[in-house]
Amino acid sequence: MSATEHLHHIGPALVLLIGSGVVFSADLVTPRRASLWGLTLVALVGGFLYALWHATSGTSGEALSGAVVVDEFGLFFAFVIIIATFAVVVASRDWADGREQAAEFYALILVSAGSMVLLAQSNDLITIFVALETTSIAQFVLAGIARDNRGAEASLKYLLTGAVSAAILLYGFAFLFGIAGTTSLAGIADFVGTADEGTRLPLMLGFVLVAAGFGFKMALVPFHGWVPDVYQGAPTPVVSFLSVASKAAGFAIVLRVFYTGLGGGGTFISDDWAVMFGVLAAASMVFGNAGALLQTDVKRLLGYSSIAQAGNIGIGLAAVAAGSTIGPAGVLFFIGTYVATNLGAFIAVIAASQRLGSDEIADYAGLIRRSPLIAVILIVCLLSLTGIPPTAGFIAKLYIFNGAIQAGETWLVGLVAVGVVNTGVSAYYYLRWMRTIVMDEPLEAWTFRPAVATQGVMMAAGLAVLVIGLMPTPLISAAQRAAAVLQ
Amino acid sequence: MLTLFLLLPLAGAVLALILPKEREQDAKWIALVFSGLAFAVSILVFVRFDPSVEGYQFVDRFEWIRAGDAGFSVQYALGVDGLSAPLVLLLGLLSVVSVLISFGVELRVKEYFAWLLLLETAVAGVFMSLDLIQFFVFWELELLPMYLLISIWGSGRKEYSAMKFLLYTITGSAFMLVGFLVLGLQAGTFDIAQLTANPPDDALVPLAVIFWAIMLAFLVKLPVFPVHTWLPDAHTDAPTAVSVMLAGVLLKMGGYGILRIALPILPEQAQDFRVVLAALAGFSVIYGAVITLRQQDLKRLVAYSSVSHMGYVLLGVSAMGAVGFSGAALQMFTHGTITGLLFVMVGLIYDRTHTREIGEMSGLIHRMPLIGTVMLLAGLASLGLPGMSGFVAELTTFLGTFDAHPAATIAAIFGVVLSAGYILWMVERIFHGPPTERWAHLPDATAWWERTAMGALVLFILAIGIYPALITEAVESGIAPIAAIVEAGA
């Protein structure tokens, strides 16, 4: 394989990373913010087209000595991450244009997104670690980019927890490498397939540490401490990026490491990691929802809600471990719909908070009369987060729960029961917010509407939530194809 | 045709929503036309329904979620049998009535009628679904319009009541979903007919647990003591039309679910717990009736009487035989028309007096003879006077249950006596007694829409009371196969 072919295999990520450099440099020559924004979008479209090229030209297989792989799974996430980033960038224009650090914002987003795309196609512990750290470091800076006190606090908190969790992750990787003697996921899978009971304990130690390290990215309890403060303190566009793209990438890599490396169902340690994710899932749902009940700040509320939603995905991971054949595709489907839903919600919040000048739920009173479009999109997305039909969130939960039941373990039925009860709890705080939007008297009379481009991505997200809810089969097929390559 | 019944109100809702602001009053007419068309379709379905044919009729079916792997294929499948056809008719009727009595609504008119129509679509989906997951989708879909209708257009502690309604229902249905998923995994399908034909004899968790997980949702909806407490609040604070829909068709979703899903799919468990169900039913009847006697609020009185009357439905179910089931199914239909009418009347009275305190009203019959007469008629129907539809249903229920559960049946019959007490006492206090100066200028029901709404319901109540075969034939044809399965499970 020639050098260009190697590079071709990481093409989408490269396009984004190069785009980032171009944006940085362009800042030196042009004072115009609009062109920075445009360049960022061009880079994202370029990355998207490159991924599309991979998908249609049948590019596949490993490259760079097995460090990365081009497969349906990586492409699924490449599309999800790039589309999500595109939407965030489009919606952030008003916010970023008013700041000195616009170029840094755009460029760092591109670095982070590019590393995530790389992360999703990583096939080796070392590539995984490097890609994960690159994306994280960009995010630490992004969290504090507003240069205010809150942002600084958020950024520092994020950095400190991130650094600790990276160390833990690396420690876990070291265990896996020490036992299996290889950093390649396929090699670890081979080892697990033939290993004897004696290696069980060190392996468990390894993957528990790995899960703890990744748990930070996924925002699973008990690694969620940073979430509410960072969500509240960091600028909303950055938070929306963290909550959709970063989360999707985190779950992508967890699924690849655990499902490919440790094997779902049948291996001698699959039950162990099933129980581990089961416990993490239950804790995340319970604590995430309990925390959300008390919030009055929309970003904190969405932060806690994202912890609870991560718990739902955790159920899916437990199902995958327990050998459910529906499970892996269910996780992918859930992530796909969650990205669309949270994007819609966050873009609506970005658009609303720009004008309302506040993130308090109380200030959303009567939003439906002040800005009907934002209100309707927000309501659709909140319904989807609750899991009420006919939105995508309903199908996603159904899919995850059904996968868990299908694994055929009684304790997973119990876990699903915990999940459905939590859905009821979450209905309370999502609906309370919706009630404020629809029923309360507006605090001020003037109306507003977001920029045209923002309206566009917002409507696209809202429509996606409804269309997936009514016709889920295409996304289900895509998720199944992507999941199939992991086994 | 059933898809048409499902889509007509939905189309009306969308049309109403996109009306320009200055023409928002037209939403009323849109709602009337579309619910009227849906009613016409439901009549057509009922008339063309052939009781001699086995199985579901007017079936529309395609695969909605196709996901290759076992156990996750969800159909869009609609159909009616003798059990659901009358309920679809009832839904069509009450929806038109609800729209009519809402003609006076002034607040956010477009949204109001849109939600009312969406509610009809959701309930229609519940009654016609032949797939468990689809059933669940519509079951949940009904929550949102109800929540908004109560909390925006309601009165009193409307937001509290709406949230209580929502949380009760959503918690109940959560466990139902787990039950459905486990059943679906076991059978490899969510198709109700297939599950009924081959009830699973084992599953991941004990079938008894699944039975109660599913029953919980239905018992909350019915509702039965001790999970009934959301109902009086929701009813009291809901606008009139929503009370009509709630009492008339939404409670029936619970009874319908028991007869359609819980019993035929888990007949052995149903048999095992028949005594528990009978005890719950008997207690609900008496408890509901006693609480009703104590009510000072007219609407709360009718609401609590529903708890008592829905106890008959569960009582009929607990007999685990064809006659009891028929009684339960008939009771659902007749209670829908009678209590629907009672809530219409309560709403009309409240519109005029602006109070629901029974103690404040007196001698109203002198001021509003038409309302008084129809209210009396509805009351008599409600307490089971022969010649009206309630009698047929209650008699059938008691005939069906006496052998199986004599104690509970006697308790329930005593409940009828109590209901005669609270109904007659209420009518006496409100309409008779000396006319007072305060109410000297109350108008009677004069608007055409009020009269049409009353008239339609009175017509149904009398017609079925005098000639029950109008619906019993259909109901019995629907009950027979269910009863056969359940009796075989003994």
Side-chain angles (χ1 to χ4, degrees), chain A residues 402 405 408 431 438-439 470 473, chain B residues 64 71-72 108 151 166 185 204:
Chain A
N402 198 28
I405 301 251
L431 275 165
V438 177
M439 284 172 228
L470 291 171
T473 307
Chain B
W64 176 42
F72 194 56
R108 299 164 89 167
S151 58
L166 190 103
L185 168 70
L204 265 182

Side-chain angles (χ1 to χ4, degrees), chain A residues 325-326 368-369 383 386-390 394-395 398-399 401-402 405-410 413 416-417 420-421 423-424 427-428 431-432 434-435 438-440 469-473 476-477 480, chain B residues 63-74 108 111 133 136-138 140-141 143-144 147-148 151-152 159-160 163 166-167 170-171 174-175 177-178 181-185 190 204-206:
Chain A
T325 54
I326 304 180
I368 190 119
R369 275 178 269 177
L383 287 176
T386 321
I388 289 181
F394 169 73
I395 308 278
L398 181 69
Y399 205 158
F401 293 160
N402 198 28
I405 301 251
Q406 191 239 7
E409 302 267 1
T410 307
V413 178
V416 170
V420 292
V421 170
T423 299
Y428 180 78
L431 275 165
R432 199 184 46 184
M434 281 186 249
R435 188 173 71 190
V438 177
M439 284 172 228
D440 290 358
L470 291 171
M471 290 180 291
T473 307
I476 288 180
S477 315
Q480 282 176 337
Chain B
E63 201 173 20
W64 176 42
I65 301 178
R66 199 170 46 242
D69 299 311
F72 194 56
S73 170
V74 178
R108 299 164 89 167
E111 293 164 60
I133 298 298
F136 182 80
V137 166
F138 285 107
E140 294 276 289
L141 192 61
L143 292 178
L144 189 66
Y147 173 77
L148 290 171
S151 58
I152 300 184
E159 291 178 2
Y160 165 82
M163 189 57 95
L166 190 103
L167 291 181
I170 226 169
T171 311
F175 289 105
L177 179 63
V178 181
L181 290 178
V182 176
L183 283 177
L185 168 70
F190 290 115
L204 265 182
V205 288

Side-chain angles (χ1 to χ4, degrees), chain B residues 438-453:
Chain B
R438 179 175 173 193
W439 307 125
H441 304 289
L442 290 185
D444 203 354
T446 47
W448 65 269
W449 38 271
E450 293 170 341
R451 292 185 170 201
T452 316

Side-chain angles (χ1 to χ4, degrees), chain A residues 41-205:
Chain A
L41 294 183
V42 168
L44 286 165
V45 172
F48 183 86
L49 291 177
Y50 210 118
L52 205 61
W53 182 21
H54 275 179
T56 50
S57 68
T59 308
S60 68
E62 297 182 346
L64 299 170
S65 318
V68 296
V69 61
V70 174
D71 56 15
E72 299 262 8
F73 180 82
L75 284 174
F76 180 89
F77 279 100
F79 287 125
V80 167
I81 291 163
I82 294 175
I83 292 172
T85 311
F86 184 88
V88 169
V89 169
V90 169
S92 311
R93 186 182 178 179
D94 278 353
W95 178 85
D97 277 0
R99 310 196 166 258
E100 218 177 301
Q101 306 87 356
E104 286 86 342
F105 172 74
Y106 292 133
L108 286 170
I109 287 243
L110 283 178
V111 171
S112 191
S115 319
M116 285 176 198
V117 172
L118 192 63
L119 182 63
Q121 61 174 144
S122 300
N123 204 24
D124 182 286
L125 297 184
I126 295 176
T127 339
I128 290 171
F129 187 76
V130 171
L132 190 70
E133 279 313 286
T134 316
T135 180
S136 299
I137 290 168
Q139 289 168 7
F140 300 149
V141 182
L142 280 170
I145 204 163
R147 290 201 192 158
D148 52 11
N149 281 340
R150 277 216 156 136
E153 185 196 330
S155 177
L156 188 65
K157 228 170 209 165
Y158 195 33
L159 171 70
L160 290 177
T161 29
V164 171
S165 67
I168 294 175
L169 180 68
L170 206 53
Y171 194 33
F173 280 177
F175 269 100
L176 292 185
F177 172 70
I179 304 158
T182 171
T183 55
S184 112
L185 291 182
I188 294 174
D190 287 343
F191 172 78
V192 169
T194 56
D196 57 54
E197 273 290 321
T199 55
R200 187 173 165 201
L201 204 63
L203 262 181
M204 272 173 75
L205 203 57

Side-chain angles (χ1 to χ4, degrees), chain A residues 215-230:
Chain A
F216 161 78
K217 269 272 163 272
M218 298 182 289
L220 280 171
V221 172
F223 316 108
H224 66 292
W226 60 277
V227 172
D229 292 332
V230 171

